[in-house]
């Protein structure tokens, strides 16, 4: 079957049984009930369906995933608060959502001039990326492509055509209202996203519910859901279906390893880092009661959001996106490792020194990682904060994902979604390397291969398809991620231009492009380029807290 061939829809039977149908009352609160599904049978029509099996299941011929009813629609337009002035509050600015696109533009402009430190850039190949992504979208969706859901964690839970979230909701007692239903999904989604930081090449997960094997992001999604339903994250014996402060603080590496089925021969990369991340989350839930309530649940952020002065509640509930962003950035600040870049002792999270950014006289000396100098003074006309490139990838992934249950269950409209950027991770970024827009320079290629050889010696991994490897804070990775943010914006514009005759006056949002094109495209071209491992062109020696 060709890469852009239509893919036949498989049977709806999962694991030898038929997926339970929801009653009328239950389907009203379902995230993806049968009544609201956008699937159309290819037998009865020429319509295409989504293909989500690539790289995620043991077979690439498994059932496709149902669409979710998160129509992007027309986002309400309200005034957004400005980002802090970086000269007055560099920490606040670099932790703001607006800083990600602003600062990445500097690196992207250098890329357009082929003036990067670690990559050669051939913009003549950019059209190949546009064509590749456009063809994937046309393969999997019908014009005018309005059925494409925005990027989010929910779709990973539906791997193999089984809408596990709808089924989960159907198991809740009728007396559980929509507010509590939404809180439970926020609990689940937040933990699942924090665990989803690259599973490694060896790991897979066999579902206890249907016996099927899943890998990578979809595998982590299914595993996290089954751990959630088993009550691993809850301290309340009367309600397993929640995440709370005490449940997380009592979690051990051994329990998480068992839940993820991580063992010799099936190791989850960065397992200890993930466990420590969840334990720190438990402590944060206990400390940040203004966001997470006295019960210390992620889902209690819903109460904070609904009662926020900026939230508008008339015929519809309108929440400015920065309200949710600030909950995640401020509420989860202490979750991230202490080794992250800091200004005056305040951690910036997923933000890193980058040599392609403006440099003060005393810039970080190591290409791998150096703590940021504890000063805000300028040197050579450049303030120290200007050398830092922020991404906040996991926080953005959380934002995309947590909006989904709040939009569907609580009918909340989030204003300002255009502030979110493309996610700077290895699938989106690998797309531009595998299709020839970016080529790692030889010196860095050699250094990365040496890193990979040392990694293999240290871990006992046998190199099958050798690729350069770097730590998350390496200057190569930081520059690559910065370019990825800018290139994804450019890709969205170009794909909309190519598909314009079929869009019927509509326009794909960046979130839709991520979902239907770049993320999927990056995964699929990696499978073609490295069929044995299906890994990206540059490997990350991950600690389980970045990717």
């Amino acid at each position: 079957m060709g890469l852009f061939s239509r893919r036949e829809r498989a049977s709806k039977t999962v694991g030898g049984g038929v997926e339970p149908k929801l009653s009328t009352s239950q389907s009203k609160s379902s995230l993806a009930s049968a009544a609201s599904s956008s699937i159309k049978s290819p037998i009865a029509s020429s319509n295409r369906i989504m293909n989500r099996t690539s790289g995620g299941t043991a077979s690439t011929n498994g059932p496709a995933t149902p669409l979710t009813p998160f129509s992007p629609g027309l986002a309400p337009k309200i005034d957004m608060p400005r980002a802090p002035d970086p000269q007055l509050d560099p920490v606040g600015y670099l932790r703001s959502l607006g800083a990600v696109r602003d600062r990445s533009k500097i690196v992207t402009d250098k890329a357009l001039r082929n003036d990067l430190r670690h990559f050669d850039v051939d913009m003549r190949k950019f059209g190949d990326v546009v064509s590749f992504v456009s063809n994937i979208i046309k393969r999997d969706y019908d014009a005018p492509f309005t059925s494409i859901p925005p990027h989010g964690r929910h779709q990973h839970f539906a791997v193999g055509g089984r809408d596990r979230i709808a089924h989960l909701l159907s198991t809740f007692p009728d007396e559980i209202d929509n507010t509590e239903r939404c809180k439970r999904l926020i609990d689940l989604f937040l933990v699942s996203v924090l665990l989803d930081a690259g599973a490694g090449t060896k790991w897979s997960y066999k579902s206890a519910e249907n016996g099927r094997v899943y890998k990578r992001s979809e595998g982590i999604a299914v595993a996290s859901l089954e751990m959630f339903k088993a009550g691993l994250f809850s301290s309340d014996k009367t309600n397993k279906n929640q995440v709370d402060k005490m449940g997380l603080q009592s979690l051990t590496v051994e329990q998480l390893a068992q839940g993820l089925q991580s063992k010799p021969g099936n190791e989850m990369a960065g397992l200890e880092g993930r466990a420590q991340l969840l334990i720190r989350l438990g402590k944060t839930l206990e400390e940040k009661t203004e966001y997470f309530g006295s019960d210390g649940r992620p889902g209690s952020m819903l109460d904070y959001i609904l009662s926020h002065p900026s939230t508008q509640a008339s015929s519809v509930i309108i929440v400015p996106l920065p309200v949710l962003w600030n909950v995640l950035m401020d509420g989860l600040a202490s979750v991230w490792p202490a080794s992250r870049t800091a200004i005056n002792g305040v951690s910036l999270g997923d933000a890193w020194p980058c040599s392609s950014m403006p440099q003060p006289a005393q810039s970080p000396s190591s290409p791998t990682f150096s703590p940021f100098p504890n000063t805000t003074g300028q040197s050579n006309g450049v303030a120290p904060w200007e050398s830092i490139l922020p991404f906040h990838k996991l926080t953005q992934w959380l934002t995309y994902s947590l909006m989904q249950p709040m939009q569907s269950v609580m009918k909340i409209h989030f204003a300002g979604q255009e502030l979110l950027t493309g996610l700077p991770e290895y699938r989106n970024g690998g797309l531009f390397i595998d299709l020839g827009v970016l080529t790692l320079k030889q010196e860095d290629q050699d250094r990365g291969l040496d890193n990979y050889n040392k990694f293999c010696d240290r871990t006992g991994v046998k190199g099958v398809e050798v690729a350069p490897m770097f730590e998350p804070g390496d200057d190569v990775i930081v520059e690559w991620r910065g370019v990825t943010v800018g290139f994804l914006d450019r890709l969205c514009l170009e794909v909309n231009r190519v598909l314009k005759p079929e869009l019927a006056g509509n326009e794909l949002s960046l979130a839709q492009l991520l979902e239907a094109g770049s993320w999927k495209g990056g995964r699929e071209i990696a499978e073609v380029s490295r069929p044995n491992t299906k890994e990206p062109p540059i490997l990350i020696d991950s600690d389980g807290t970045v990717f």
Side-chain angles (χ1 to χ4, degrees):
M1 179 178 287
L3 190 61
F4 299 117
S5 300
R6 296 184 184 180
R7 312 218 176 176
E8 291 301 317
R9 184 181 182 186
S11 169
K12 287 185 179 180
T13 302
V14 178
V18 178
E19 182 70 22
K21 294 182 180 180
L22 305 182
S23 69
T24 302
S25 62
Q26 291 167 333
S27 67
K28 288 180 181 179
S29 61
S30 168
L31 288 175
S33 67
S36 62
S37 173
S38 302
I39 294 178
K40 301 175 182 178
S41 170
I43 299 175
S45 71
S46 63
N47 289 343
R48 279 147 262 161
I49 58 173
M50 292 173 64
N51 171 60
R52 284 219 167 264
T53 56
S54 60
T57 65
S59 169
T60 56
N61 296 316
T65 293
L67 297 176
T68 54
F70 299 114
S71 175
L74 292 176
K77 298 292 184 182
I78 62 176
D79 291 336
M80 293 291 110
R82 292 180 178 273
D85 184 338
Q87 301 298 338
L88 301 175
D89 183 9
V91 172
Y93 172 72
L94 290 172
R95 287 165 53 84
S96 72
L97 181 54
V100 178
R101 184 171 275 113
D102 285 350
R103 304 309 292 169
S104 292
K105 185 178 184 301
I106 296 173
V107 181
T108 304
D109 287 345
K110 286 190 173 184
L112 295 175
R113 302 193 302 268
N114 192 18
D115 191 27
L116 295 177
R117 286 182 175 266
H118 304 290
F119 294 90
D120 293 317
V121 184
D122 186 355
M123 292 305 295
R124 295 172 299 179
K125 301 289 184 64
F126 201 88
D128 295 341
V129 182
V130 175
S131 297
F132 182 78
V133 169
S134 298
N135 283 329
I136 286 178
I137 292 172
K138 290 193 290 184
R139 179 196 70 190
D140 294 342
Y141 295 90
D142 284 321
F145 313 115
T146 53
S147 62
I148 299 174
H151 203 39
R153 188 61 166 163
H154 179 269
Q155 287 83 263
H156 292 163
F157 288 115
V159 61
R162 186 176 189 181
D163 196 336
R164 294 169 180 81
I165 298 303
H167 183 258
L168 175 67
L169 286 167
S170 74
T171 65
F172 296 161
D174 290 340
E175 60 267 22
I176 302 298
D177 62 17
N178 279 350
T179 299
E180 175 59 23
R181 288 170 181 264
C182 186
K183 287 182 177 181
R184 293 184 181 189
L185 294 186
I186 293 172
D187 284 352
L188 168 63
F189 281 37
L190 189 142
V191 165
S192 185
V193 167
L194 289 184
L195 283 173
D196 184 22
T201 59
K202 293 184 176 182
W203 182 82
S204 64
Y205 181 81
K206 184 177 181 179
S207 171
E209 295 184 352
N210 63 14
R212 291 193 175 185
V213 176
Y214 303 100
K215 300 179 179 180
R216 308 171 84 173
S217 289
E218 291 87 349
I220 296 175
V222 174
S224 62
L225 174 59
E226 294 187 2
M227 287 187 285
F228 175 82
K229 292 166 70 173
L232 184 61
F233 310 121
S234 173
S235 65
D236 186 350
K237 301 303 181 183
T238 65
N239 179 24
K240 294 181 178 180
N241 296 307
Q242 72 174 35
V243 176
D244 61 62
K245 56 188 179 184
M246 298 309 298
L248 292 179
Q249 289 184 62
S250 63
L251 186 68
T252 66
V253 177
E254 291 73 23
Q255 287 176 316
L256 187 61
Q258 183 178 5
L260 291 169
Q261 299 174 2
S262 180
K263 56 187 177 182
N266 190 49
E267 290 92 347
M268 163 68 74
L271 177 67
E272 186 169 351
R274 294 170 210 259
Q276 292 303 319
L277 192 70
L278 294 186
I279 293 169
R280 288 196 299 270
L281 172 61
K283 295 177 181 177
T284 297
L285 294 175
E286 183 175 30
E287 295 167 356
K288 296 286 188 176
T289 55
E290 66 270 33
Y291 298 128
F292 305 118
S294 59
D295 53 354
R297 288 177 57 189
S300 292
M301 73 172 71
L302 180 63
D303 296 328
Y304 174 87
I305 290 169
L306 292 176
S307 62
H308 194 276
S310 299
T311 297
Q312 301 178 15
S314 52
S315 57
V316 295
I317 301 173
I318 301 175
V319 175
L321 188 69
V323 173
L324 174 58
W325 179 259
N326 289 336
V327 170
L328 298 177
M329 282 300 295
D330 295 339
L332 302 181
S334 60
V335 166
W336 311 116
S339 59
R340 291 290 172 81
T341 313
I343 294 181
N344 293 331
V346 180
S347 176
L348 301 179
D350 184 13
W352 312 82
C354 180
S355 64
S356 291
M357 300 296 285
Q359 298 294 309
Q362 293 183 340
S363 58
S365 58
S366 169
T368 53
F369 179 78
S370 176
F372 196 79
N374 290 327
T375 175
T376 55
Q378 293 195 355
S379 177
N380 292 347
V382 176
W385 67 265
E386 294 183 70
S387 67
I388 301 301
L389 189 50
F391 302 115
H392 308 306
K393 179 261 176 181
L394 267 179
T395 306
Q396 291 208 65
W397 182 221
L398 274 172
T399 304
Y400 278 117
S401 298
L402 296 185
M403 285 193 297
Q404 292 183 314
M406 287 189 266
Q407 287 169 322
S408 184
V409 177
M410 298 299 295
K411 311 304 180 187
I412 293 174
H413 293 259
F414 285 93
Q417 295 181 47
E418 68 279 359
L419 295 174
L420 291 163
T421 73
L423 299 180
E425 47 83 62
Y426 55 80
R427 297 174 189 88
N428 288 320
L431 181 69
F432 299 108
I433 295 177
D434 278 332
L435 291 176
V437 178
L438 297 174
T439 301
L440 190 61
K441 293 185 177 181
Q442 190 61 50
E443 181 180 351
D444 292 300
Q445 177 81 4
D446 294 341
R447 182 167 64 89
L449 292 175
D450 184 58
N451 291 339
Y452 180 75
N453 290 331
K454 291 177 180 177
F455 171 82
C456 291
D457 291 341
R458 185 176 75 248
T459 61
V461 171
K462 295 181 179 180
V464 178
E465 289 165 329
V466 178
M469 173 179 275
F470 303 92
E471 294 182 349
D474 193 284
D475 205 51
V476 167
I477 301 301
V478 180
E479 185 179 71
W480 180 30
R481 298 179 74 195
V483 174
T484 297
V485 171
F487 276 5
L488 287 171
D489 280 342
R490 188 181 185 93
L491 180 63
C492 189
L493 291 173
E494 291 299 309
V495 168
N496 272 296
R497 180 185 60 80
V498 169
L499 296 180
K500 185 175 181 180
E502 301 172 72
L503 284 167
N506 299 303
E507 186 175 277
L508 291 178
S509 68
L510 179 59
Q512 289 176 296
L513 177 85
L514 295 172
E515 178 63 26
S518 64
W519 191 90
K520 184 189 295 185
R523 170 181 278 187
E524 293 191 16
I525 195 63
E527 291 176 353
V528 172
S529 303
R530 290 162 297 281
N532 293 306
T533 62
K534 302 177 177 61
E535 283 297 292
I538 295 178
L539 301 175
I540 312 294
D541 191 358
S542 175
D543 64 354
T545 64
V546 177
F547 296 92

